[in-house]
Amino acid sequence: EDIVVSDVAADLDQARVTVTGLPDDPGTAAAVFGAIADGGVLVDMIIQNAGADGRAGISVTVPENDADRTVQLLKAALPDAGTAVSCEPNVGKLTVSGIGLRSHTDVGARVFRILADRQINVQLVNTSEIKVSILVTPEEAEIGCQALREEFHLTG
Amino acid sequence: EDIVVSDVAADLDQARVTVTGLPDDPGTAAAVFGAIADGGVLVDMIIQNAGADGRAGISVTVPENDADRTVQLLKAALPDAGTAVSCEPNVGKLTVSGIGLRSHTDVGARVFRILADRQINVQLVNTSEIKVSILVTPEEAEIGCQALREEFHLTG
Ligand SMILES: C[C@@H](O)[C@H](N)C(=O)O
Ligand SMILES: C[C@@H](O)[C@H](N)C(=O)O
C-alpha cells in the first residue's frame, strides 16, 4: 500500500539564487542561462512561475561553492534596473520519489501535511512525473527527511 | 556529440492554475494540496518559486477538463482576501530530456536560445535532474518541439 513512495532524500549542499523583475519577453531566459553557462556553473533546479504585470522571476539552485559566482554572473547580465538578484546561500533540498506521486492525488498532500505538522516552511517546490523537490532550511531538510521516511515506511 | 538530449515532447492537453498572494507560512501548501486531493484532481506539475513580503505563489498543471473544478476547489480553500486564483485554460508543455541537462552547462542555454530565436515566450519552467519542462502556448509547443528536435538531431 505504501509502495507509492520509494525514496526520500535530503541534499544539504545547495544554494538558491533568485532573479526577480525580469522582463517576461522572449529572449530573457536565454540571456540568463547563457550567462550562467558561459561562467561554467552547473545548475541543479530551474524554477520560473507564471509572471505578472510583464515581469517574472527565475530561481536556480547551484552547489554552495558556486553561489557567489552565480550572483556575479547574473548581476552582470541583468537587462535593466527593474531586476534584482538575491541569494539564499544555504538551503536544504528534500526530494520525495515514487510512482504514487503520479497516480495518487493524496501523496502530495500527505507530504505537505507532514512538513506543516512540524512547522516546516516550504520555500520552493519543483516536480517531475514521479518526484517532488522541496526547498527548506538544511535543519528542516533533515527533520523532514526523517519524518517523511517514517510516514512512508522507508526507515530501517 | 548530441546524445546529450534523448527526447523532446509536447503535451497540448494541459491547463495551468495559479494561486498568488498565499501566506508564506507552514501549513499553506498542505491546505492547497489537501483541497485539490479531496476533489480527486490529479496534478501534473507543481511550481512554487521563492516568495516575497511574506506571500508566495503556487502553480499547478492539470488536465484541461479539470481546470474549472481545480479553480473552484482552490477558491473554496483560500485562506484570506489577499489571495487570488487565475487559470490559463490551454497551455502547451514542452519537455526536453537527456543526460546532458545534468552534465553540460550549455544544454539548458541552447534550449532557451532556440525558443527565443522563434519569439516563443517562456511562461513557466520546472526541472528535474535530466528533464526540463517549459510552459508555452499550444501553438508554440508544436513549433518549439520541432525546432528543438532539429537542434538536437532527433528528427526521424
Ligand atoms: C522570464 C523569461 O522566461 C521570458 N518569459 C522568456 O521567455 O525568456
Ligand atoms: C506557500 C507555502 O508553500 C508555504 N510556505 C507553506 O509552507 O505551506
Short mmCIF file of all heavy atoms in Angstrom, two decimals, chain A residues 16 24-27 30 33 37 41-42 44-50 57 59 102 105 109 112-113 116 119 121-129 131, chain B residues 16 24-27 30 33 37 40-42 44-50 57 59 102 105 109 112-113 116 119 121-129 131:
data_model
loop_
_atom_site.label_atom_id
_atom_site.label_comp_id
_atom_site.label_asym_id
_atom_site.label_seq_id
_atom_site.Cartn_x
_atom_site.Cartn_y
_atom_site.Cartn_z
N ARG A 16 20.38 28.72 -3.22
CA ARG A 16 19.37 29.19 -4.15
C ARG A 16 19.70 30.61 -4.56
O ARG A 16 19.97 31.46 -3.72
CB ARG A 16 17.98 29.17 -3.51
CG ARG A 16 16.96 29.90 -4.38
CD ARG A 16 15.57 29.95 -3.84
NE ARG A 16 15.44 30.56 -2.54
CZ ARG A 16 15.50 31.86 -2.29
NH1 ARG A 16 15.75 32.72 -3.26
NH2 ARG A 16 15.32 32.31 -1.06
N ASP A 24 9.18 39.77 -18.95
CA ASP A 24 8.59 38.49 -19.34
C ASP A 24 8.43 38.45 -20.86
O ASP A 24 7.32 38.34 -21.38
CB ASP A 24 7.24 38.33 -18.63
CG ASP A 24 6.78 36.89 -18.62
OD1 ASP A 24 7.47 36.05 -19.22
OD2 ASP A 24 5.74 36.63 -18.02
N ASP A 25 9.57 38.55 -21.57
CA ASP A 25 9.57 38.60 -23.04
C ASP A 25 10.49 37.53 -23.59
O ASP A 25 11.45 37.12 -22.91
CB ASP A 25 10.10 39.96 -23.52
CG ASP A 25 9.29 41.11 -22.95
OD1 ASP A 25 8.04 41.01 -22.97
OD2 ASP A 25 9.91 42.09 -22.49
N PRO A 26 10.26 37.10 -24.83
CA PRO A 26 11.15 36.10 -25.43
C PRO A 26 12.59 36.58 -25.40
O PRO A 26 12.87 37.75 -25.65
CB PRO A 26 10.64 36.00 -26.87
CG PRO A 26 9.22 36.43 -26.82
CD PRO A 26 9.15 37.47 -25.74
N GLY A 27 13.51 35.67 -25.05
CA GLY A 27 14.93 36.00 -25.06
C GLY A 27 15.53 36.24 -23.69
O GLY A 27 16.74 36.09 -23.48
N ALA A 30 16.96 33.01 -22.21
CA ALA A 30 18.16 32.64 -22.97
C ALA A 30 19.36 33.46 -22.47
O ALA A 30 20.47 32.94 -22.33
CB ALA A 30 17.93 32.85 -24.46
N PHE A 33 20.38 32.14 -18.87
CA PHE A 33 21.07 30.84 -18.87
C PHE A 33 22.32 30.86 -19.73
O PHE A 33 23.25 30.08 -19.49
CB PHE A 33 20.09 29.72 -19.22
CG PHE A 33 19.09 29.53 -18.13
CD1 PHE A 33 17.80 30.01 -18.26
CD2 PHE A 33 19.47 28.94 -16.93
CE1 PHE A 33 16.91 29.91 -17.20
CE2 PHE A 33 18.57 28.83 -15.88
CZ PHE A 33 17.29 29.33 -16.01
N ALA A 37 25.81 29.64 -18.23
CA ALA A 37 26.57 28.62 -18.97
C ALA A 37 27.97 29.13 -19.31
O ALA A 37 28.95 28.43 -19.16
CB ALA A 37 25.82 28.23 -20.24
N VAL A 41 28.86 27.36 -14.70
CA VAL A 41 28.20 26.90 -13.48
C VAL A 41 27.13 25.86 -13.84
O VAL A 41 26.30 26.09 -14.72
CB VAL A 41 27.54 28.08 -12.71
CG1 VAL A 41 26.79 27.56 -11.49
CG2 VAL A 41 28.57 29.12 -12.33
N LEU A 42 27.16 24.72 -13.17
CA LEU A 42 26.14 23.69 -13.39
C LEU A 42 24.96 23.93 -12.47
O LEU A 42 25.11 23.84 -11.25
CB LEU A 42 26.72 22.31 -13.10
CG LEU A 42 27.32 21.53 -14.25
CD1 LEU A 42 27.89 20.21 -13.75
CD2 LEU A 42 26.30 21.26 -15.34
N ASP A 44 21.31 22.97 -10.72
CA ASP A 44 20.53 21.75 -10.45
C ASP A 44 19.08 22.03 -10.81
O ASP A 44 18.56 21.60 -11.80
CB ASP A 44 20.70 21.36 -9.00
CG ASP A 44 19.92 20.09 -8.65
OD1 ASP A 44 19.61 19.32 -9.58
OD2 ASP A 44 19.61 19.88 -7.47
N MET A 45 18.37 22.80 -9.99
CA MET A 45 16.96 23.10 -10.26
C MET A 45 16.84 24.44 -10.97
O MET A 45 17.61 25.35 -10.74
CB MET A 45 16.19 23.20 -8.92
CG MET A 45 16.16 21.94 -8.11
SD MET A 45 15.64 22.23 -6.38
CE MET A 45 13.88 22.43 -6.56
N ILE A 46 15.83 24.52 -11.87
CA ILE A 46 15.44 25.79 -12.50
C ILE A 46 13.95 25.93 -12.26
O ILE A 46 13.19 25.00 -12.56
CB ILE A 46 15.69 25.79 -14.02
CG1 ILE A 46 17.16 25.54 -14.36
CG2 ILE A 46 15.19 27.10 -14.64
CD1 ILE A 46 17.42 25.36 -15.87
N ILE A 47 13.51 27.06 -11.71
CA ILE A 47 12.10 27.29 -11.46
C ILE A 47 11.71 28.69 -11.94
O ILE A 47 12.33 29.67 -11.57
CB ILE A 47 11.76 27.23 -9.95
CG1 ILE A 47 12.07 25.85 -9.38
CG2 ILE A 47 10.30 27.54 -9.67
CD1 ILE A 47 13.42 25.74 -8.81
N GLN A 48 10.69 28.74 -12.77
CA GLN A 48 10.04 30.01 -13.09
C GLN A 48 8.54 29.80 -12.95
O GLN A 48 8.00 28.89 -13.56
CB GLN A 48 10.35 30.46 -14.51
CG GLN A 48 9.63 31.75 -14.90
CD GLN A 48 9.73 32.08 -16.38
OE1 GLN A 48 10.73 31.74 -17.02
NE2 GLN A 48 8.70 32.71 -16.90
N ASN A 49 7.89 30.59 -12.15
CA ASN A 49 6.43 30.52 -12.03
C ASN A 49 5.83 31.55 -12.99
O ASN A 49 6.55 32.34 -13.60
CB ASN A 49 6.01 30.80 -10.59
CG ASN A 49 4.65 30.15 -10.26
OD1 ASN A 49 3.88 29.83 -11.17
ND2 ASN A 49 4.38 29.92 -9.00
N ALA A 50 4.53 31.52 -13.14
CA ALA A 50 3.84 32.45 -14.03
C ALA A 50 4.15 33.88 -13.59
O ALA A 50 4.22 34.16 -12.40
CB ALA A 50 2.34 32.20 -13.97
N GLY A 57 10.02 35.93 -12.36
CA GLY A 57 11.19 35.59 -11.55
C GLY A 57 11.70 34.21 -11.93
O GLY A 57 10.92 33.34 -12.30
N SER A 59 14.42 31.20 -10.42
CA SER A 59 15.35 30.74 -9.38
C SER A 59 16.13 29.55 -9.91
O SER A 59 15.59 28.76 -10.69
CB SER A 59 14.59 30.29 -8.13
OG SER A 59 14.04 31.39 -7.45
N ARG A 102 2.43 10.11 -9.16
CA ARG A 102 1.83 10.22 -10.49
C ARG A 102 0.36 9.81 -10.44
O ARG A 102 -0.48 10.37 -11.10
CB ARG A 102 2.59 9.24 -11.42
CG ARG A 102 2.31 9.40 -12.89
CD ARG A 102 3.19 10.49 -13.45
NE ARG A 102 2.83 10.84 -14.81
CZ ARG A 102 2.30 12.02 -15.12
NH1 ARG A 102 2.06 12.89 -14.20
NH2 ARG A 102 2.04 12.33 -16.36
N THR A 105 -3.77 11.08 -5.84
CA THR A 105 -3.92 12.51 -5.59
C THR A 105 -3.46 12.87 -4.18
O THR A 105 -3.06 14.00 -3.95
CB THR A 105 -5.39 12.96 -5.69
OG1 THR A 105 -6.15 12.15 -4.79
CG2 THR A 105 -5.92 12.81 -7.09
N ALA A 109 -0.37 15.73 -1.04
CA ALA A 109 -0.99 16.37 0.13
C ALA A 109 -0.41 15.81 1.43
O ALA A 109 -0.18 16.56 2.39
CB ALA A 109 -2.50 16.16 0.08
N PHE A 112 3.07 17.44 2.12
CA PHE A 112 2.99 18.82 2.64
C PHE A 112 2.40 18.85 4.04
O PHE A 112 2.77 19.68 4.88
CB PHE A 112 2.19 19.70 1.68
CG PHE A 112 2.90 19.94 0.37
CD1 PHE A 112 2.41 19.40 -0.81
CD2 PHE A 112 4.07 20.71 0.32
CE1 PHE A 112 3.08 19.60 -2.02
CE2 PHE A 112 4.73 20.91 -0.89
CZ PHE A 112 4.24 20.35 -2.06
N ARG A 113 1.49 17.92 4.34
CA ARG A 113 0.89 17.85 5.68
C ARG A 113 1.94 17.49 6.73
O ARG A 113 2.00 18.07 7.82
CB ARG A 113 -0.28 16.87 5.67
CG ARG A 113 -0.94 16.51 6.99
CD ARG A 113 -1.30 17.69 7.86
NE ARG A 113 -2.19 18.64 7.21
CZ ARG A 113 -2.24 19.94 7.52
NH1 ARG A 113 -1.46 20.44 8.47
NH2 ARG A 113 -3.08 20.74 6.89
N ALA A 116 4.03 20.50 7.36
CA ALA A 116 3.26 21.52 8.09
C ALA A 116 3.15 21.15 9.57
O ALA A 116 3.30 22.02 10.45
CB ALA A 116 1.87 21.63 7.48
N GLN A 119 5.92 22.40 11.56
CA GLN A 119 6.17 23.84 11.38
C GLN A 119 7.31 24.12 10.40
O GLN A 119 8.05 25.10 10.55
CB GLN A 119 6.51 24.48 12.76
CG GLN A 119 5.31 24.53 13.69
CD GLN A 119 4.14 25.24 13.06
OE1 GLN A 119 4.27 26.36 12.56
NE2 GLN A 119 2.99 24.58 13.03
N ASN A 121 8.52 25.43 6.88
CA ASN A 121 8.01 26.31 5.83
C ASN A 121 8.57 25.90 4.47
O ASN A 121 9.77 25.80 4.28
CB ASN A 121 8.38 27.77 6.11
CG ASN A 121 7.63 28.69 5.16
OD1 ASN A 121 6.42 28.60 5.01
ND2 ASN A 121 8.36 29.58 4.50
N VAL A 122 7.67 25.69 3.51
CA VAL A 122 8.05 25.32 2.15
C VAL A 122 8.47 26.59 1.40
O VAL A 122 7.67 27.50 1.23
CB VAL A 122 6.85 24.66 1.43
CG1 VAL A 122 7.10 24.51 -0.05
CG2 VAL A 122 6.53 23.32 2.08
N GLN A 123 9.75 26.66 1.00
CA GLN A 123 10.26 27.86 0.33
C GLN A 123 10.08 27.81 -1.19
O GLN A 123 9.94 28.85 -1.84
CB GLN A 123 11.76 28.02 0.61
CG GLN A 123 12.10 28.24 2.07
CD GLN A 123 13.60 28.32 2.29
OE1 GLN A 123 14.38 28.54 1.36
NE2 GLN A 123 14.04 28.13 3.54
N LEU A 124 10.09 26.61 -1.74
CA LEU A 124 10.09 26.47 -3.20
C LEU A 124 9.74 25.02 -3.52
O LEU A 124 10.11 24.12 -2.75
CB LEU A 124 11.50 26.81 -3.71
CG LEU A 124 11.79 26.93 -5.18
CD1 LEU A 124 12.82 28.01 -5.42
CD2 LEU A 124 12.31 25.61 -5.70
N VAL A 125 8.99 24.80 -4.60
CA VAL A 125 8.59 23.44 -4.99
C VAL A 125 8.80 23.24 -6.48
O VAL A 125 8.57 24.17 -7.28
CB VAL A 125 7.10 23.17 -4.68
CG1 VAL A 125 6.70 21.75 -5.06
CG2 VAL A 125 6.78 23.45 -3.24
N ASN A 126 9.19 22.03 -6.85
CA ASN A 126 9.53 21.71 -8.23
C ASN A 126 9.20 20.23 -8.42
O ASN A 126 9.58 19.42 -7.58
CB ASN A 126 11.05 21.91 -8.31
CG ASN A 126 11.62 21.86 -9.69
OD1 ASN A 126 10.88 21.80 -10.67
ND2 ASN A 126 12.92 21.90 -9.78
N THR A 127 8.46 19.85 -9.45
CA THR A 127 8.12 18.43 -9.59
C THR A 127 8.45 17.90 -10.97
O THR A 127 8.52 18.65 -11.93
CB THR A 127 6.61 18.21 -9.43
OG1 THR A 127 5.94 19.04 -10.38
CG2 THR A 127 6.13 18.50 -8.04
N SER A 128 8.64 16.60 -11.06
CA SER A 128 8.57 15.92 -12.35
C SER A 128 7.61 14.75 -12.14
O SER A 128 7.09 14.59 -11.06
CB SER A 128 9.95 15.43 -12.78
OG SER A 128 10.31 14.31 -12.04
N GLU A 129 7.41 13.93 -13.14
CA GLU A 129 6.34 12.91 -13.05
C GLU A 129 6.32 12.20 -11.71
O GLU A 129 5.29 12.09 -11.07
CB GLU A 129 6.53 11.83 -14.13
CG GLU A 129 6.11 12.28 -15.51
CD GLU A 129 7.12 13.21 -16.09
OE1 GLU A 129 8.32 12.89 -16.05
OE2 GLU A 129 6.72 14.30 -16.55
N LYS A 131 8.56 12.68 -9.03
CA LYS A 131 9.40 13.26 -7.98
C LYS A 131 8.89 14.63 -7.61
O LYS A 131 8.49 15.40 -8.46
CB LYS A 131 10.81 13.52 -8.53
CG LYS A 131 11.80 12.42 -8.26
CD LYS A 131 13.19 12.87 -8.65
CE LYS A 131 14.07 11.63 -8.82
NZ LYS A 131 15.43 11.98 -9.17
N ARG B 16 -3.09 25.51 -16.83
CA ARG B 16 -2.33 25.97 -15.68
C ARG B 16 -3.26 26.74 -14.76
O ARG B 16 -4.00 27.62 -15.19
CB ARG B 16 -1.18 26.89 -16.12
CG ARG B 16 -0.54 27.59 -14.92
CD ARG B 16 0.56 28.52 -15.25
NE ARG B 16 0.26 29.61 -16.14
CZ ARG B 16 -0.45 30.69 -15.84
NH1 ARG B 16 -0.96 30.82 -14.64
NH2 ARG B 16 -0.65 31.64 -16.73
N ASP B 24 3.07 32.93 3.20
CA ASP B 24 4.25 32.07 3.10
C ASP B 24 4.60 31.49 4.46
O ASP B 24 5.67 31.72 5.01
CB ASP B 24 5.43 32.89 2.53
CG ASP B 24 6.52 31.99 1.98
OD1 ASP B 24 6.41 30.76 2.11
OD2 ASP B 24 7.48 32.54 1.41
N ASP B 25 3.63 30.74 5.03
CA ASP B 25 3.77 30.17 6.37
C ASP B 25 3.55 28.67 6.32
O ASP B 25 2.84 28.16 5.44
CB ASP B 25 2.71 30.77 7.31
CG ASP B 25 2.79 32.28 7.37
OD1 ASP B 25 3.94 32.80 7.46
OD2 ASP B 25 1.74 32.93 7.26
N PRO B 26 4.11 27.93 7.28
CA PRO B 26 3.88 26.47 7.31
C PRO B 26 2.37 26.16 7.32
O PRO B 26 1.60 26.83 8.00
CB PRO B 26 4.52 26.04 8.63
CG PRO B 26 5.55 27.07 8.92
CD PRO B 26 4.99 28.36 8.40
N GLY B 27 2.00 25.16 6.52
CA GLY B 27 0.60 24.72 6.50
C GLY B 27 -0.19 25.19 5.30
O GLY B 27 -1.19 24.56 4.93
N ALA B 30 -0.04 22.62 2.46
CA ALA B 30 -0.82 21.44 2.85
C ALA B 30 -2.31 21.71 2.62
O ALA B 30 -3.05 20.83 2.15
CB ALA B 30 -0.55 21.09 4.32
N PHE B 33 -2.97 21.68 -1.30
CA PHE B 33 -2.94 20.34 -1.90
C PHE B 33 -3.93 19.39 -1.27
O PHE B 33 -4.38 18.44 -1.92
CB PHE B 33 -1.51 19.79 -1.94
CG PHE B 33 -0.67 20.59 -2.89
CD1 PHE B 33 0.22 21.53 -2.44
CD2 PHE B 33 -0.85 20.46 -4.26
CE1 PHE B 33 0.94 22.32 -3.34
CE2 PHE B 33 -0.14 21.24 -5.16
CZ PHE B 33 0.75 22.18 -4.69
N ALA B 37 -6.55 17.39 -3.53
CA ALA B 37 -6.65 15.92 -3.37
C ALA B 37 -8.07 15.51 -2.99
O ALA B 37 -8.61 14.54 -3.52
CB ALA B 37 -5.66 15.46 -2.30
N GLY B 40 -10.15 15.08 -5.78
CA GLY B 40 -9.79 13.98 -6.69
C GLY B 40 -9.12 14.41 -7.97
O GLY B 40 -9.11 13.68 -8.96
N VAL B 41 -8.51 15.61 -7.99
CA VAL B 41 -7.84 16.08 -9.21
C VAL B 41 -6.38 15.65 -9.20
O VAL B 41 -5.67 15.85 -8.22
CB VAL B 41 -7.92 17.61 -9.34
CG1 VAL B 41 -7.15 18.09 -10.58
CG2 VAL B 41 -9.36 18.08 -9.39
N LEU B 42 -5.92 15.03 -10.28
CA LEU B 42 -4.52 14.63 -10.38
C LEU B 42 -3.72 15.76 -11.00
O LEU B 42 -3.95 16.13 -12.14
CB LEU B 42 -4.38 13.40 -11.30
CG LEU B 42 -4.41 12.04 -10.65
CD1 LEU B 42 -4.30 10.95 -11.72
CD2 LEU B 42 -3.27 11.87 -9.66
N ASP B 44 -0.27 17.50 -12.53
CA ASP B 44 0.96 17.06 -13.18
C ASP B 44 2.14 17.83 -12.60
O ASP B 44 2.91 17.33 -11.83
CB ASP B 44 0.85 17.27 -14.70
CG ASP B 44 2.10 16.81 -15.44
OD1 ASP B 44 2.84 15.98 -14.89
OD2 ASP B 44 2.35 17.31 -16.54
N MET B 45 2.29 19.10 -12.93
CA MET B 45 3.39 19.92 -12.42
C MET B 45 2.94 20.71 -11.20
O MET B 45 1.80 21.15 -11.14
CB MET B 45 3.85 20.92 -13.49
CG MET B 45 4.40 20.28 -14.75
SD MET B 45 4.54 21.46 -16.15
CE MET B 45 5.99 22.41 -15.68
N ILE B 46 3.86 20.88 -10.24
CA ILE B 46 3.67 21.80 -9.11
C ILE B 46 4.86 22.72 -9.09
O ILE B 46 6.00 22.25 -9.12
CB ILE B 46 3.62 21.04 -7.76
CG1 ILE B 46 2.50 20.00 -7.72
CG2 ILE B 46 3.48 22.04 -6.61
CD1 ILE B 46 2.53 19.11 -6.48
N ILE B 47 4.63 24.03 -9.06
CA ILE B 47 5.73 25.01 -9.06
C ILE B 47 5.46 26.07 -8.01
O ILE B 47 4.40 26.67 -8.00
CB ILE B 47 5.86 25.73 -10.41
CG1 ILE B 47 6.20 24.73 -11.52
CG2 ILE B 47 6.93 26.80 -10.40
CD1 ILE B 47 5.02 24.24 -12.24
N GLN B 48 6.40 26.25 -7.11
CA GLN B 48 6.38 27.41 -6.22
C GLN B 48 7.77 28.03 -6.26
O GLN B 48 8.74 27.33 -6.02
CB GLN B 48 6.04 27.01 -4.78
CG GLN B 48 6.09 28.20 -3.81
CD GLN B 48 6.02 27.80 -2.36
OE1 GLN B 48 5.40 26.81 -2.01
NE2 GLN B 48 6.69 28.57 -1.50
N ASN B 49 7.87 29.28 -6.58
CA ASN B 49 9.16 29.98 -6.56
C ASN B 49 9.29 30.66 -5.20
O ASN B 49 8.35 30.67 -4.39
CB ASN B 49 9.22 31.00 -7.71
CG ASN B 49 10.66 31.28 -8.12
OD1 ASN B 49 11.60 31.04 -7.35
ND2 ASN B 49 10.86 31.77 -9.33
N ALA B 50 10.46 31.21 -4.94
CA ALA B 50 10.71 31.90 -3.67
C ALA B 50 9.69 33.04 -3.51
O ALA B 50 9.35 33.71 -4.48
CB ALA B 50 12.13 32.47 -3.67
N GLY B 57 3.48 32.28 -4.44
CA GLY B 57 2.52 31.79 -5.45
C GLY B 57 2.78 30.32 -5.72
O GLY B 57 3.92 29.87 -5.67
N SER B 59 1.71 27.33 -8.64
CA SER B 59 1.00 26.94 -9.88
C SER B 59 0.96 25.43 -9.98
O SER B 59 1.89 24.75 -9.53
CB SER B 59 1.74 27.47 -11.11
OG SER B 59 1.60 28.87 -11.20
N ARG B 102 22.13 17.38 -17.17
CA ARG B 102 22.76 17.20 -15.87
C ARG B 102 24.23 17.61 -15.92
O ARG B 102 24.77 18.18 -15.00
CB ARG B 102 22.66 15.71 -15.52
CG ARG B 102 22.99 15.35 -14.10
CD ARG B 102 21.81 15.58 -13.21
NE ARG B 102 22.12 15.43 -11.80
CZ ARG B 102 22.06 16.45 -10.94
NH1 ARG B 102 21.72 17.63 -11.34
NH2 ARG B 102 22.31 16.25 -9.68
N THR B 105 26.69 22.47 -19.06
CA THR B 105 26.10 23.76 -18.68
C THR B 105 25.36 24.39 -19.85
O THR B 105 24.45 25.16 -19.65
CB THR B 105 27.18 24.77 -18.24
OG1 THR B 105 28.12 24.90 -19.30
CG2 THR B 105 27.88 24.34 -16.98
N ALA B 109 20.94 26.39 -21.84
CA ALA B 109 21.04 27.68 -22.56
C ALA B 109 20.65 27.50 -24.04
O ALA B 109 19.98 28.36 -24.61
CB ALA B 109 22.47 28.23 -22.43
N PHE B 112 16.77 27.36 -24.38
CA PHE B 112 16.12 28.67 -24.27
C PHE B 112 16.46 29.56 -25.46
O PHE B 112 15.63 30.37 -25.92
CB PHE B 112 16.49 29.35 -22.95
CG PHE B 112 15.92 28.65 -21.74
CD1 PHE B 112 16.75 27.97 -20.85
CD2 PHE B 112 14.56 28.65 -21.50
CE1 PHE B 112 16.21 27.30 -19.75
CE2 PHE B 112 14.02 27.98 -20.40
CZ PHE B 112 14.85 27.31 -19.53
N ARG B 113 17.65 29.41 -26.00
CA ARG B 113 18.05 30.21 -27.17
C ARG B 113 17.20 29.85 -28.40
O ARG B 113 16.75 30.72 -29.14
CB ARG B 113 19.56 30.00 -27.44
CG ARG B 113 20.14 30.58 -28.72
CD ARG B 113 19.81 32.02 -28.96
NE ARG B 113 20.22 32.92 -27.88
CZ ARG B 113 19.63 34.07 -27.60
NH1 ARG B 113 18.60 34.51 -28.32
NH2 ARG B 113 20.07 34.82 -26.60
N ALA B 116 13.87 31.41 -27.96
CA ALA B 116 13.97 32.88 -28.11
C ALA B 116 14.06 33.26 -29.59
O ALA B 116 13.41 34.23 -30.03
CB ALA B 116 15.19 33.40 -27.36
N GLN B 119 10.84 33.70 -31.16
CA GLN B 119 9.95 34.63 -30.45
C GLN B 119 8.95 33.90 -29.56
O GLN B 119 7.80 34.36 -29.40
CB GLN B 119 9.19 35.52 -31.45
CG GLN B 119 10.10 36.53 -32.14
CD GLN B 119 10.84 37.41 -31.15
OE1 GLN B 119 10.23 38.00 -30.26
NE2 GLN B 119 12.16 37.46 -31.26
N ASN B 121 7.65 32.87 -25.99
CA ASN B 121 7.79 33.35 -24.62
C ASN B 121 7.66 32.21 -23.62
O ASN B 121 6.68 31.47 -23.64
CB ASN B 121 6.74 34.42 -24.31
CG ASN B 121 7.04 35.10 -22.98
OD1 ASN B 121 8.15 35.56 -22.76
ND2 ASN B 121 6.07 35.14 -22.09
N VAL B 122 8.65 32.08 -22.75
CA VAL B 122 8.65 31.06 -21.71
C VAL B 122 7.76 31.51 -20.55
O VAL B 122 8.03 32.53 -19.91
CB VAL B 122 10.10 30.83 -21.20
CG1 VAL B 122 10.12 29.99 -19.94
CG2 VAL B 122 10.96 30.23 -22.30
N GLN B 123 6.66 30.79 -20.29
CA GLN B 123 5.71 31.20 -19.26
C GLN B 123 6.07 30.62 -17.89
O GLN B 123 5.74 31.22 -16.86
CB GLN B 123 4.30 30.72 -19.62
CG GLN B 123 3.73 31.34 -20.88
CD GLN B 123 2.37 30.76 -21.22
OE1 GLN B 123 1.69 30.18 -20.37
NE2 GLN B 123 1.97 30.90 -22.47
N LEU B 124 6.69 29.45 -17.88
CA LEU B 124 6.94 28.74 -16.63
C LEU B 124 7.97 27.67 -16.90
O LEU B 124 8.00 27.12 -18.00
CB LEU B 124 5.61 28.12 -16.17
CG LEU B 124 5.46 27.46 -14.83
CD1 LEU B 124 4.06 27.69 -14.30
CD2 LEU B 124 5.73 25.97 -14.97
N VAL B 125 8.84 27.40 -15.93
CA VAL B 125 9.90 26.39 -16.10
C VAL B 125 9.99 25.52 -14.86
O VAL B 125 9.85 26.02 -13.73
CB VAL B 125 11.28 27.04 -16.32
CG1 VAL B 125 12.37 25.98 -16.53
CG2 VAL B 125 11.27 28.00 -17.48
N ASN B 126 10.28 24.25 -15.06
CA ASN B 126 10.30 23.27 -13.99
C ASN B 126 11.31 22.21 -14.41
O ASN B 126 11.28 21.76 -15.54
CB ASN B 126 8.89 22.68 -13.98
CG ASN B 126 8.60 21.78 -12.83
OD1 ASN B 126 9.43 21.60 -11.97
ND2 ASN B 126 7.41 21.22 -12.82
N THR B 127 12.24 21.83 -13.54
CA THR B 127 13.24 20.84 -13.96
C THR B 127 13.37 19.70 -12.96
O THR B 127 13.06 19.86 -11.79
CB THR B 127 14.64 21.47 -14.03
OG1 THR B 127 14.94 22.03 -12.75
CG2 THR B 127 14.75 22.52 -15.09
N SER B 128 13.85 18.56 -13.43
CA SER B 128 14.37 17.54 -12.55
C SER B 128 15.74 17.19 -13.12
O SER B 128 16.15 17.77 -14.11
CB SER B 128 13.46 16.33 -12.52
OG SER B 128 13.59 15.61 -13.71
N GLU B 129 16.44 16.24 -12.55
CA GLU B 129 17.84 16.01 -12.93
C GLU B 129 18.06 16.04 -14.43
O GLU B 129 18.95 16.71 -14.93
CB GLU B 129 18.34 14.65 -12.42
CG GLU B 129 18.65 14.64 -10.95
CD GLU B 129 17.38 14.57 -10.15
OE1 GLU B 129 16.54 13.71 -10.46
OE2 GLU B 129 17.22 15.39 -9.25
N LYS B 131 15.57 16.41 -16.90
CA LYS B 131 14.45 16.90 -17.70
C LYS B 131 14.19 18.36 -17.43
O LYS B 131 14.26 18.80 -16.29
CB LYS B 131 13.17 16.19 -17.27
CG LYS B 131 12.81 14.99 -18.09
CD LYS B 131 11.42 14.51 -17.71
CE LYS B 131 11.29 13.06 -18.14
NZ LYS B 131 10.00 12.52 -17.79
#
